[in-house]
Amino acid sequence: APNAHLFFRRGQIDIENSCHDEFFDSIEEFPVSVPEFNNALCNGCGFCKTVCKFNAITMILAKPLFFPELCHSCEACFRVCSMGAITAANKMIGKIRRKKINGELDLVDGIMNVSEAKSPPLIKKIIKKYSGPAVTIIDAPPGTSCPMVAAAYSADYVILVTEPTPFGLSDLKLAVNAMRELKVRFGVVINKYDGDFGEVKTWCESEKIDIIGIIPFELKIAQVYSGGGIIADELPHTRALFSKLFERAVSEAVK
Ligand code: SF4
Ligand code: SF4
């Protein structure tokens, strides 16, 4: 996530400058492969268009016309071209930034270049490169689109955070379906719970889904969070809740 640095203590990192490149120990550019066409070698067979499931190639006057914005770098077109008319070119779509915190924690984030929309390759690269035997917390984007799936598909355990509203329940159902499709184990946390709209709880119970935590609706929590504070530090009564949540998630992940 591009804002995970906000969840460290002020004494641990220089929060005010933590979104700038200078804050990080290392930065690497992240390229993806995109096809480069040599029309002189192309025989107009159209196989590259047919194999592209993302409609990134069309044929005009028996020659391929490429739409880079739609390309997902699956490399299928490279493989079907028997004429050698397609070669792989690198396209920089973002960067990966890494910072060691207190000599023990690795903070890694991925930033997309302006106008680049497809983050899954960057997310997958970060997870593959930086997940290890230690506990790795991946902050996934909301919803059930490709970036969320890319972040969750290789996880040992996923925490689905929802809210007690009709909108929250609708999104939760989609996310649960996605996790079941991916065969990834998961539990639910209900955030901002004020006792209203019990349907989320009822639905989870009817689906035999574990509710592993309930975060109460509290103005102070919102105030601390929006001020860049650590909730568990500034509101000690929440510490046990977050500790239990962490311990439960870790114990589920190693099962
Ligand atoms: S597969 Fe190769 S030869 Fe066929 S249309 Fe595409 S680029 Fe041309
Ligand atoms: S690399 Fe994949 S997505 Fe991109 S143009 Fe080729 S077939 Fe389509």
Side-chain angles (χ1 to χ4, degrees):
N3 62 355
H5 53 266
L6 296 177
F7 296 96
F8 287 86
R9 294 189 174 94
R10 282 179 188 279
Q12 284 181 310
I13 67 170
D14 177 8
I15 291 272
E16 276 69 25
N17 293 309
S18 56
C19 56
H20 301 309
D21 283 355
E22 296 71 35
F23 167 77
F24 290 84
D25 299 329
S26 67
I27 297 175
E28 60 180 287
E29 296 284 333
F30 179 67
V32 291
S33 292
V34 292
E36 203 164 67
F37 295 85
N38 182 342
N39 282 354
L41 297 176
C42 171
N43 66 4
C45 69
F47 290 160
C48 53
K49 172 187 183 299
T50 307
V51 80
C52 181
K53 298 300 174 209
F54 303 98
N55 299 316
I57 302 172
T58 191
M59 297 298 289
I60 301 284
L61 299 176
K63 295 293 174 193
L65 180 64
F66 176 51
F67 298 93
E69 301 78 16
L70 300 178
C71 176
H72 279 57
S73 303
C74 71
E75 303 189 4
C77 58
F78 307 176
R79 296 169 203 278
V80 297
C81 181
S82 59
M83 301 302 292
I86 304 178
T87 50
N90 274 346
K91 180 185 177 203
M92 296 299 169
I93 65 162
K95 57 191 172 188
I96 297 170
R97 308 186 299 180
R98 187 177 183 202
K99 170 84 176 171
K100 200 90 174 157
I101 311 277
N102 283 359
E104 52 176 358
L105 289 173
D106 271 323
L107 170 65
V108 182
D109 75 10
I111 301 280
M112 302 297 294
N113 289 345
V114 173
S115 84
E116 291 294 343
K118 293 178 291 294
S119 58
L122 180 64
I123 293 171
K124 286 180 187 168
K125 168 80 178 185
I126 291 175
I127 292 173
K128 191 170 174 196
K129 188 164 179 184
Y130 293 103
S131 294
V135 174
T136 303
I137 299 173
I138 302 163
D139 182 23
T144 44
S145 60
C146 297
M148 180 273 211
V149 171
Y153 89 109
S154 61
D156 296 311
Y157 188 72
V158 168
I159 301 173
L160 298 174
V161 182
T162 188
E163 292 179 1
T165 62
F167 187 68
L169 178 57
S170 170
D171 270 4
L172 177 63
K173 288 178 179 175
L174 294 172
V176 165
N177 284 343
M179 292 307 103
R180 286 176 172 162
E181 196 70 32
L182 293 173
K183 299 191 179 5
V184 174
R185 290 185 307 113
F186 63 93
V188 166
V189 168
I190 304 177
N191 191 18
K192 296 196 268 187
Y193 189 68
D194 61 359
D196 283 344
F197 197 71
E199 283 89 335
V200 172
K201 270 184 166 178
T202 311
W203 183 76
C204 287
E205 283 159 12
S206 71
E207 291 286 319
K208 300 194 173 19
I209 293 169
D210 275 346
I211 298 174
I212 62 169
I214 293 179
I215 300 171
F217 182 83
E218 267 190 51
L219 182 61
K220 278 187 179 162
I221 290 181
Q223 286 170 334
V224 170
Y225 174 73
S226 56
I230 304 294
I231 295 165
D233 283 352
E234 297 192 28
L235 303 173
H237 67 282
T238 64
R239 178 167 280 272
L241 166 70
F242 288 116
S243 295
K244 264 193 201 160
L245 197 52
F246 178 73
E247 284 159 16
R248 175 74 191 277
V250 171
S251 69
E252 291 288 343
V254 297
K255 266 184 187 171

